[in-house]
Amino acid sequence: MRLCGIFFVNTPCIFLAPYQNPMYVAAASAILAMLLFAMFWSCTMDLHINGRTYTVHCDSSEMLVWILRDDLGLTGTKMGCGAGICGSCTIHINGVPVRSCVTPVGAALGQIITTIEGLAQLGEDGTEILHPVQQAFIDEQVPQCAWCISGQIMTAAALLRDNPSPTDDEIDNALASNYCRCGCYVRIRSAVRRAAEYMRAHV
Amino acid sequence: MPSHISPSSEQSERKTFSRRTFLIASSSGLLTIGIGSILGWKYLQRSISALTEAYAPPEILPDQPFVWFTIHANNTIELYVPKIEIGQGIHTALGQIAADELEADWSKFFVKQADTTRGFHGLALSTFGSWSVSSLYLPLREAAATIRETLRIEAAQRFHASSADIVMKESYATLRTDSSQSISYGDIVAGKQGTWELAREAPLKPARDFTLIGKSVGRVDIYDKVTGRAIYGFDARMPNMLYGAVARPPRYGAVLKSAQAGKAASMQGVVKIVIEQGFAGVVAERRSIAREAAKSLECVWEGGMSESQDAIDRLVTVPHNRASAIIIQERGNPQEHCSIADISSEYRTATAAHAHLEPQAALAFVRSDAIDVVVSTQMPEAVRIMIARALGVDKSIIRVQPAYVGGGFGRKLGYDVGLEAAMLSRAVGRPVHVAWTREEDMRYGYYRPPSHHRLRGKLDNGRILALEHDIASGDVLLSIAPLLAGTFGEAFADTFAIDPGATTGGLFEYDIPHHAVFFHRIKLPFFTALWRGLGLLPNTFARESFIDELAHAAGKDPLIFRLEHIPNTELGARYKAALERMHIISEWSKPLAPGRAKGIAMCVHSRTIAVEVAEVSVAEGRLRVHNVWAVVDAGTVINPNGAAAQIQGAIIMGLSSVFHEAITFRNGLAESSNFDTYPLLTLPEAPNIHIDILQGSETPHGMGEVGIGPIAAAVGNALFALIRKRVRELPFPLNPC
Ligand code: FES
Ligand code: FES
C-alpha cells in the first residue's frame, strides 16, 4: 500500500502551528481533503525517522505521537495535553517544529521526521555529540522533571536554525507555547541564549 | 582524613548501626550492602506520620533496607536510594551526601532508584513534603561512613599498616607514607577473602572537609533527560503489552450502577471489555482504540455531586460563629481586642489543579503469584495497598518499580491509575498500560482545596496589638486517611478534624501580644488533597497580604514593619537576617523606576525561611511581574544550584496561581478539562528571578515547597504599592486595576 506514501510526499503540515509557512496555506484545503481520505485508509506505511525507515501498520488518522511512542518505542517525545497547547510532543518534520499530538501519521508520510532521539549526532569514533541546545540545557542545568524538555529542546533547535541570534523577546515568543510546570523558564531562556552562542562559535 | 571528630551538634544526635541492620552480600568481585531501616525509621517516621497518622506503620524488619550500596570490581559504585526523582533533584542530592562521606569518586558513582523488589519498604519510598534530604541526611552519612571505615580496615590489612595511616579519597585507599601503595575500593572488594566484618567506629566527616556536600554538581539524571532516554511511568513498556482505558463518571462521587459493552464490543482491536463492581474499562491493541471504546461503553451512573461553583463558594466561607472551629494558635486575649478591630479583611483562593505535564500512567502485569507495576508515583506503598485490597492478594507479591515522575506536586500517588492497570491486566493475563488523557488528569484526581480567610487586626502605636486569622479550607491530609485506611481513616479524620495540611503555613511567627488562628474544616463534595506546599500558598497569601494592610494602616514601610515584629527567638534571628539581606539585594530603599513598585512577603516551611520581593508594573490594565528576589535560609544546602532551581520553580508555579489558575464546577464536574481553559504561566510571563541562599545552620531543611509561599502576597503587595488597590483573591482578576 505505497499509495499513501505517494500522496503525501512533500505535503507540508500546514495546520501544525506554531510554525506555519504561509506559502503553503493556499494548499491547505487540498491537503486536508487528502488527509480525510487517508483517515479511512488503514495501511502499512514507511516513516523516515532520525535517519532510519520504520514500517508501521495503523490507521493513517492515528496521531503521530502514539506511533512514535507506542508503536516504535521512541518515548523521548512526550505527551502533555493531546490538544496542541503545551508543546511537550514537539518534533521536527522537514526541520519545522510540529506538535505530534495533533499530526495524523498520514501527514508525515514521506517526510523527514526528527525526534529528540535523533537530535544528537554520532561522531567518527561512535561517541554521541549532543546538539548545542542539548549541551546548553545541561550547562544551564535546566531540566527538573523534564517531561517538557524534549519539546523545549526541539522548539529551541528549530528557532536557532532559522535565527542564530534571537533577542530575548524572540526566544520568549518562540517558546511561548511550551509549558514547563516545574518552572524552569528562567533557565530555559539562558540555555537558549547560550546555545545560540555555541552555534555561532561553531560556524 | 579525620581520625577524630570534634564534637558538634550532629554528633550528639548520632545513632550507631546495630550489626544486624546491615545486610552484606558478597559474591566474587561485588559487594552489596543494604542498611536496614531500623535506624532510618526514626527519621522516616516523621514524614509518614505527618502524612497519615491513621495508618499504623507496618513492622519494619531489619533486612528491609533504606539504602543500598553496591561496589563493583571496576570501582564503580551504585547507590540505590529510596526517594523518587520527581524533578526535585533528590537523586543528585542523596548521591552527593553518600559519596562525600564514602570518599567516593563522583565520576564513577551512580545513583539508582530503589524499588520494592529489592526489599525496600514501600513507605520508605514515599517522597513528599520536602523531607527527603533532611530525613536521610544523617542515616545516609552514617551508612556511608561505616562502609568507608570497613574498607579502610581492609586496606590497612593489605598494606600491613594501621588504619590511621590509610587515606581514603576518590574511591582509593592509599598509604599515607607511601602514595605508591594504593588500592581502589573495587579491588579491595574483589580481593576480599572470607566474610566482611563491619567497622565498629565510623566517625562522620566534619563539614569543613566536605568535597561534594554544598557543591553545585550537575544533576545525575540530566543526560538521560536531554536525550529523551529517561523512562517515566508513561514510557514503561513490556513485551506483549496491551492498552487500557476506563469509563469516567459525569459527576464526582457518582457510582457506576450498571454498564453495557454497547458499540465497544464490536470495535476492531478491542481485546476485552472489563465490567466489574463499580468499574468499567476496555483493553485494546492500541491506545486510541481503548480510549474510544471506553467512551462508548453504556454506563449508568447514580448519585454524586450536583453543585456548581456558586454553591461551592458559599460552602467555603468562614462561618460567623466559631462553635465548630479549632484553635490552632493562641496567645493573649485577641478576641477582646479584635472585636474592635481597626482592619478586617477577607481573602479567597480558588480550587487549583496540579497540572503536572505527565498525566497519570502505569503499566501492570498481574499473574497469580506475582504482580509487577511500573508507575509514576510519589508513594509506591499507596499503589500496593490499593491493588492488594482490590484484587484480594497479599501485598508481598506486588512489586512496584517507581519510574521517573513527570511532575508530581503531590498528585502522583499512582494508586488510581496503578489499580486500573492491574484490574485490566488481571482480566487479560497480559501487561496493560493505562495512561490518562489530559482531560482525565485534570478532572479525575484531586485538587488544592479552595479556601476562605477572615482576618482582623488591631494596631497600637504603629505596632500590631492583636491579630486573628480564621481559615476555612477543604481537606488536604484528612482526605487521604480514608483512602489508605478505609472507614477507620474516615472516623479518624472526623474526630481529628484539624487538618495539618490545610493549616500548613497558617501560624503567626510574628511577635504580637495577642493573636489566634482558627481552623474551620469544610467538607467538600469533591476530592481535595495534597498540592505543592499544602496550605502554604493560600495561608501565606492571606496572612502576608493582611500584614501589608496593617503596615500601610500604620504608615510604615512593609519591610521595616515586619522587622519590628520579629520575635526574639532563634527563628526570629533567622528571619531578621533574611529580611536584612533582602533589604540589600532587592535594593529595597532605592527609588523605583517610574511605573514600578515592589512588595514583600515571607514564610517558613519545613524549617526553611523564604523572604520574597516582587517588582511589578501595570500596562493597559495588565499586571506584569518583572523581577522577583528570594532570600532563602535552608540550613545546610546540599546543592546550591539545585536548591535555586527548586525556588525558581516554586515561584513560577505560585505566579501561575496568581495569574491563571482556577478550577470551577458546573453540575458536579470541573468545567476545565485541558489547558485551553486552564492555562499555565508561560515563558513570556516569567520574571527574572534573583536568589540568595543563606546557610544558617548545620542541618539541611526542606527546599521543594517553601518558595511557593510568599510569592502571591509579594505580588499583591507590590500591586497595592503601585495602584493603591488591594487584591484579595487567587487568582487575581484578569484586569486587576
Ligand atoms: S501534547 Fe502535543 S501540544 Fe501538548
Ligand atoms: S521540567 Fe518539568 S515540566 Fe518542565
Side-chain angles (χ1 to χ4, degrees):
Chain A
M1 287 285 203
R2 287 303 158 90
L3 196 57
C4 311
I6 297 164
F7 263 129
F8 290 100
V9 166
N10 293 329
T11 50
C13 312
I14 39 77
F15 53 95
L16 306 172
Y19 272 69
Q20 298 183 347
N21 186 336
M23 72 178 273
Y24 292 121
V25 172
S29 48
I31 292 158
L32 275 173
M34 284 192 274
L35 278 177
L36 280 174
F37 176 62
M39 285 195 182
F40 301 100
W41 201 285
S42 185
C43 56
T44 298
M45 290 172 270
D46 282 350
L47 293 173
H48 306 300
I49 308 168
N50 302 335
R52 280 183 57 185
T53 301
Y54 294 83
T55 304
V56 295
H57 313 269
C58 70
D59 205 290
S60 56
S61 64
E62 191 81 56
M63 292 305 161
L64 190 51
V65 68
W66 304 119
I67 304 299
L68 295 171
R69 293 177 48 84
D70 291 345
D71 292 66
L72 305 176
L74 295 168
T75 53
T77 301
K78 304 306 188 193
M79 202 299 296
C81 68
I85 305 166
C86 74
S88 308
C89 65
T90 306
I91 58 165
H92 294 176
I93 295 184
N94 301 334
V96 177
V98 299
R99 302 202 157 191
S100 60
C101 72
V102 286
T103 305
V105 61
L109 283 181
Q111 319 294 313
I112 308 292
I113 301 170
T114 309
T115 69
I116 187 75
E117 289 93 342
L119 200 60
Q121 308 275 306
L122 276 192
E124 272 162 27
D125 58 351
T127 55
E128 191 169 52
I129 304 164
L130 293 182
H131 186 281
V133 175
Q134 288 173 308
Q135 189 58 50
F137 269 57
I138 291 181
D139 295 343
E140 290 289 337
Q141 292 285 304
V142 177
Q144 291 187 34
C145 88
W147 192 255
C148 72
I149 290 294
S150 34
Q152 308 275 7
I153 289 177
M154 296 308 281
T155 309
L159 165 73
L160 295 182
R161 205 203 42 191
D162 296 344
N163 179 357
S165 307
T167 61
D168 278 4
D169 277 350
E170 286 170 333
I171 293 172
D172 278 15
N173 289 336
L175 288 150
S177 303
N178 283 74
Y179 280 170
C180 177
R181 183 51 155 175
C182 298
C184 307
Y185 291 135
V186 178
R187 292 174 186 227
I188 289 171
R189 224 180 248 147
S190 333
V192 177
R193 272 188 224 126
R194 185 193 276 255
E197 277 165 33
Y198 290 169
M199 288 169 83
R200 287 196 301 269
H202 251 81
V203 179
Chain B
M1 275 306 303
S3 53
H4 174 76
I5 308 265
S6 57
S8 75
S9 59
E10 289 176 6
Q11 294 301 305
S12 58
E13 286 179 32
R14 284 202 60 198
K15 306 283 175 298
T16 319
F17 286 109
S18 79
R19 261 138 216 289
R20 66 198 174 90
T21 63
F22 277 82
L23 174 72
I24 303 187
S26 178
S27 60
S28 56
L30 189 79
L31 175 67
T32 294
I33 303 176
I35 294 104
S37 50
I38 289 288
L39 178 125
W41 185 243
K42 183 176 174 301
Y43 297 85
L44 293 168
Q45 216 168 15
R46 207 152 50 92
S47 57
I48 293 154
S49 58
L51 182 70
T52 58
E53 310 247 9
Y55 179 68
E59 211 182 326
I60 296 293
L61 303 169
D63 63 347
Q64 288 187 331
F66 80 88
V67 60
W68 190 296
F69 289 84
T70 301
I71 301 173
H72 295 269
N74 67 3
N75 213 20
T76 58
I77 299 174
E78 284 161 4
L79 170 70
Y80 284 84
V81 294
K83 292 293 164 197
I84 292 157
E85 185 54 70
I86 316 168
Q88 79 285 44
I90 192 63
H91 284 186
T92 309
L94 294 179
Q96 284 176 262
I97 295 166
D100 197 326
E101 196 63 54
L102 185 56
E103 297 291 2
D105 178 351
W106 182 242
S107 67
K108 293 187 177 150
F109 193 90
F110 302 98
V111 184
K112 307 250 167 158
Q113 176 66 61
D115 58 68
T116 64
T117 61
R118 227 166 293 267
F120 282 83
H121 195 279
L123 276 178
L125 301 169
S126 297
T127 309
F128 275 109
S130 308
W131 286 306
S132 297
V133 166
S134 51
S135 67
L136 285 171
Y137 184 62
L138 281 180
L140 199 49
R141 288 178 63 199
E142 289 173 12
T146 305
I147 296 168
R148 181 195 69 218
E149 293 311 307
T150 303
L151 293 170
R152 191 200 300 269
I153 292 168
E154 190 66 24
Q157 280 170 7
R158 293 277 186 98
F159 296 142
H160 307 290
S162 92
S163 295
D165 285 332
I166 305 294
V167 178
M168 308 293 277
K169 195 132 210 76
E170 299 280 327
S171 296
Y172 275 84
T174 308
L175 197 57
R176 191 185 305 276
T177 50
D178 176 3
S179 59
S180 68
Q181 301 274 22
S182 190
I183 183 169
S184 74
Y185 291 3
D187 285 338
I188 297 175
V189 166
K192 169 71 183 171
Q193 309 288 324
T195 55
W196 284 93
E197 258 297 304
L198 287 173
R200 283 169 200 284
E201 301 276 316
L204 299 182
K205 290 170 71 172
R208 63 174 180 276
D209 290 343
F210 287 159
T211 50
L212 288 164
I213 295 172
K215 298 273 170 337
S216 290
V217 302
R219 294 178 66 110
V220 297
D221 53 353
I222 203 164
Y223 197 90
D224 284 354
K225 285 183 168 177
V226 301
T227 51
R229 293 192 183 112
I231 297 297
Y232 301 69
F234 208 147
D235 304 337
R237 295 162 68 81
M238 273 185 208
N240 212 19
M241 73 189 253
L242 295 166
Y243 298 91
V246 173
R248 304 288 168 199
R251 300 173 299 280
Y252 299 121
V255 177
L256 185 64
K257 210 179 136 206
S258 68
Q260 227 89 64
K263 264 202 319 211
S266 57
M267 286 172 75
Q268 218 194 342
V270 169
V271 175
K272 189 154 188 169
I273 290 161
V274 185
I275 295 171
E276 293 179 29
Q277 178 74 32
F279 176 92
V282 177
V283 182
E285 278 159 12
R286 302 193 66 83
R287 202 182 290 281
S288 54
I289 295 169
R291 286 175 173 177
E292 206 185 316
K295 274 199 192 124
S296 66
L297 292 172
E298 291 165 8
C299 298
V300 179
W301 300 91
E302 210 176 47
M305 164 178 168
S306 57
E307 285 92 336
S308 293
Q309 188 57 32
D310 48 348
I312 300 299
D313 284 341
R314 277 197 303 277
L315 195 58
V316 185
T317 298
V318 172
H320 274 283
N321 80 56
R322 295 197 177 117
S324 58
I326 295 176
I327 301 176
I328 60 171
Q329 189 185 31
E330 191 173 29
R331 180 179 159 192
N333 188 358
Q335 309 219 24
E336 183 190 315
H337 296 284
C338 288
S339 58
I340 41 159
D342 292 320
I343 307 185
S344 131
S345 292
E346 292 181 25
Y347 287 80
R348 189 172 278 286
T349 70
T351 309
H354 300 74
H356 39 251
L357 281 193
E358 178 202 24
Q360 310 290 331
L363 171 64
F365 188 17
V366 178
R367 287 139 290 158
S368 60
D369 56 345
I371 298 175
D372 281 295
V373 188
V374 188
V375 55
S376 286
T377 179
Q378 296 174 251
M379 198 179 182
E381 193 61 9
V383 183
R384 295 176 88 202
I385 291 172
M386 297 303 271
I387 293 178
R389 200 188 286 156
L391 269 55
V393 298
D394 193 85
K395 226 171 56 175
S396 62
I397 71 161
I398 305 169
R399 301 186 299 196
V400 176
Q401 170 67 59
Y404 278 120
V405 177
F409 315 114
R411 174 63 187 96
K412 286 275 172 69
L413 295 194
Y415 67 93
D416 34 18
V417 72
L419 176 57
E420 290 167 7
M423 290 181 71
L424 295 173
S425 170
R426 179 176 63 174
V428 292
R430 284 169 66 179
V432 173
H433 192 274
V434 177
W436 290 14
T437 60
R438 173 57 53 190
E439 286 75 12
E440 291 176 290
D441 201 283
M442 195 165 280
R443 276 191 168 147
Y444 296 101
Y446 48 80
Y447 296 115
R448 183 187 78 200
S451 70
H452 180 244
H453 309 255
R454 187 173 295 138
L455 294 109
R456 300 197 293 174
K458 177 91 188 138
L459 291 163
D460 179 32
N461 219 351
R463 284 184 58 96
I464 307 172
L465 175 68
L467 198 49
E468 280 183 344
H469 185 178
D470 283 84
I471 302 169
S473 167
D475 289 346
V476 171
L477 290 178
L478 292 183
S479 51
I480 299 282
L483 193 70
L484 295 176
T487 44
F488 170 65
E490 194 159 344
F492 166 83
D494 285 342
T495 322
F496 202 49
I498 168 159
D499 191 314
T503 54
T504 296
L507 300 186
F508 291 115
E509 312 285 357
Y510 293 102
D511 183 16
I512 300 167
H514 307 276
H515 63 252
V517 180
F518 302 89
F519 178 67
H520 307 260
R521 182 189 183 201
I522 307 291
K523 281 191 150 190
L524 292 166
F526 56 94
F527 191 7
T528 60
L530 304 85
W531 192 93
R532 193 177 198 172
L534 312 180
L536 188 66
L537 173 59
N539 292 331
T540 308
F541 170 59
R543 183 195 62 242
E544 287 297 297
S545 301
F546 193 69
I547 295 288
D548 203 69
E549 294 195 49
L550 291 168
H552 284 282
K556 296 261 174 118
D557 174 283
L559 193 153
I560 307 295
F561 188 68
R562 283 176 171 79
L563 269 177
E564 287 171 356
H565 288 85
I566 291 301
N568 194 7
T569 59
E570 187 246 301
L571 182 72
R574 291 171 58 212
Y575 258 129
K576 185 160 178 283
L579 279 167
E580 283 167 353
R581 182 79 194 134
M582 178 56 85
H583 196 271
I584 298 168
I585 68 160
S586 68
E587 302 189 324
W588 180 260
S589 45
K590 277 240 180 97
L592 289 149
R596 299 266 177 111
K598 285 179 188 158
I600 187 168
M602 63 193 203
C603 73
V604 61
H605 178 64
S606 193
R607 293 198 290 154
T608 299
I609 284 176
V611 178
E612 292 172 5
V613 164
E615 185 192 33
V616 307
S617 72
V618 172
E620 290 153 18
R622 288 284 194 149
L623 169 67
R624 205 190 140 113
V625 182
H626 298 271
N627 287 291
V628 172
W629 292 265
V631 174
V632 180
D633 174 356
T636 292
V637 172
I638 309 303
N639 187 319
N641 195 28
Q646 286 302 295
I647 300 297
Q648 290 168 342
I651 288 170
I652 295 290
M653 192 164 174
L655 286 174
S656 197
S657 275
V658 169
F659 280 98
H660 300 295
E661 296 182 36
I663 289 283
T664 52
F665 299 88
R666 186 205 290 268
N667 302 333
L669 192 68
E671 290 184 284
S672 294
S673 64
N674 208 324
F675 298 128
D676 51 351
T677 50
Y678 191 93
L680 307 181
L681 198 87
T682 59
L683 181 61
E685 297 168 292
N688 298 315
I689 301 176
H690 318 271
I691 292 171
D692 200 84
I693 294 176
L694 305 175
Q695 304 210 27
S697 77
E698 277 191 21
T699 48
H701 308 155
M703 251 315 179
E705 298 164 293
V706 67
I708 207 165
I711 188 64
V715 173
N717 296 345
L719 185 66
F720 182 84
L722 189 66
I723 61 167
R724 297 284 141 180
K725 196 170 161 224
R726 180 69 60 185
V727 177
R728 297 192 181 88
E729 57 184 322
L730 279 189
F732 286 15
L734 211 51
N735 183 340
C737 304

